[in-house]
Amino acid sequence: MSKARELAELGAVYDSGALSNRNLIINGAMLVDQRNDGSSATVTHAADHFIGDRFRFTENHTGSFSAQQVSDAPVGFEKSSKVTVTGTDTSLAATEFSRILQGIEGRNISHLNWGSSNAKTCTLTFYVKSSVAGQYYLSIFNNAANRTMLKGYTIDAADTWEKKTIQIIGDTTGTWLTSNLTGIYLSWSLGTGSTYQSSTLDAYQAAFYMGKSDQVNLAATNSATWQITGVQMEVGTEATPFEHRSYGDELAMC
């Protein structure tokens, strides 16, 4: 990207009123890991496990995972959050799944006007790396889990950092809380059973889903890995460079 393009995009963001503090995601660079301090930890079955702060991993099947903040990241970043399959489940039952998600507090999304005719579009960017290439999905859903939109992305090459840019339209109906409870959830699926599968992408549905039937089941491959960093969600239809906040600011927000 040229410097002129970067300045133009930042100018567009400024016109929307958010030159700084534009990233709705906390700890998107995975720098803060207060619970594990970079140590690998075994994920407890059917329980939330925080890798880096604010990013929680859950597996609900007969496989098993370890999770860790690691010093493996694309250029411009230092850390990523990594999950590793330590025990396989090659065939997920209807209600089984594994995922990573972050909830965004309602008070931090009130300016998005979701649930109204003035709902704003956002752009999500992140870097992802996995030992298993293929089709993956993320879901955007509300606190009540009765409004969901699925978005797909492809990991094109194994063991390679790839940047993904995904446009998220704002929901013009439904209830998206603007209180101190979670207003928006972002969830990256690493495998899901049929109960949480839908064939509809890029549109909000009045139900809860996590992926399509062609979603990669990471747990099917022993020692398979999946990593993420550089997560940014911002208002507008264009992605801007990642907003690197100071460690102190990020820690306080966590």
Side-chain angles (χ1 to χ4, degrees):
M1 181 184 294
S2 68
K3 181 59 68 176
R5 174 69 183 276
E6 289 185 9
L7 291 172
E9 289 181 352
L10 285 173
V13 173
Y14 179 74
D15 288 342
S16 297
L19 184 58
S20 62
N21 296 315
R22 64 188 183 277
N23 191 1
L24 296 172
I25 300 297
I26 296 175
N27 198 32
M30 312 296 167
L31 290 176
V32 183
D33 179 21
Q34 297 183 81
R35 292 170 177 82
N36 306 299
D37 195 26
S39 297
S40 179
T42 298
V43 176
T44 302
H45 174 68
D48 289 336
H49 175 89
F50 285 86
I51 311 173
D53 282 33
R54 308 291 296 191
F55 285 86
R56 70 180 194 256
F57 176 71
T58 307
E59 64 82 8
N60 183 29
H61 49 65
T62 60
S64 58
F65 285 83
S66 64
Q68 186 176 14
Q69 178 206 59
V70 296
S71 297
D72 172 26
V75 174
F77 296 88
E78 181 184 0
K79 303 289 186 180
S80 67
S81 288
K82 179 179 183 179
V83 296
T84 302
V85 176
T86 56
T88 61
D89 185 341
T90 59
S91 181
L92 299 180
T95 60
E96 292 182 331
F97 64 88
S98 53
R99 68 179 182 183
I100 286 180
L101 79 163
Q102 179 169 143
I104 304 173
E105 185 175 322
R107 285 174 176 160
N108 292 333
I109 67 157
S110 59
H111 62 298
L112 301 184
N113 299 314
W114 285 17
S116 78
S117 59
N118 297 313
K120 295 179 180 179
T121 294
C122 294
T123 298
L124 175 69
T125 51
F126 58 94
Y127 291 84
V128 65
K129 175 181 177 180
S130 177
S131 63
V132 182
Q135 188 63 39
Y136 290 78
Y137 295 92
L138 63 92
S139 57
I140 301 95
F141 61 97
N142 64 354
N143 189 283
N146 59 15
R147 297 292 294 173
T148 305
M149 181 169 64
L150 291 178
K151 303 290 291 189
Y153 68 96
T154 302
I155 293 182
D156 300 300
D159 300 316
T160 303
W161 281 108
E162 299 175 3
K163 184 179 181 179
K164 306 300 176 183
T165 301
I166 295 175
Q167 193 170 103
I168 301 172
I169 59 172
D171 189 14
T172 57
T173 60
T175 299
W176 299 83
L177 299 181
T178 57
S179 65
N180 63 346
L181 301 175
T182 299
I184 296 173
Y185 283 102
L186 296 179
S187 174
W188 288 261
S189 176
L190 300 183
T192 185
S194 60
T195 297
Y196 306 120
Q197 293 174 4
S198 171
S199 60
T200 300
L201 299 180
D202 307 320
Y204 287 96
Q205 302 179 76
F208 175 66
Y209 299 109
M210 286 192 268
K212 287 180 65 178
S213 59
D214 59 348
Q215 159 78 49
V216 167
N217 173 22
L218 197 73
T221 304
N222 193 40
S223 300
T225 59
W226 187 92
Q227 296 170 244
I228 190 170
T229 194
V231 185
Q232 178 156 290
M233 181 175 170
E234 57 192 311
V235 176
T237 58
E238 297 288 339
T240 65
F242 184 82
E243 182 182 9
H244 287 279
R245 293 185 284 250
S246 72
Y247 181 82
D249 285 347
E250 209 72 67
L251 178 63
M253 293 173 74
C254 287

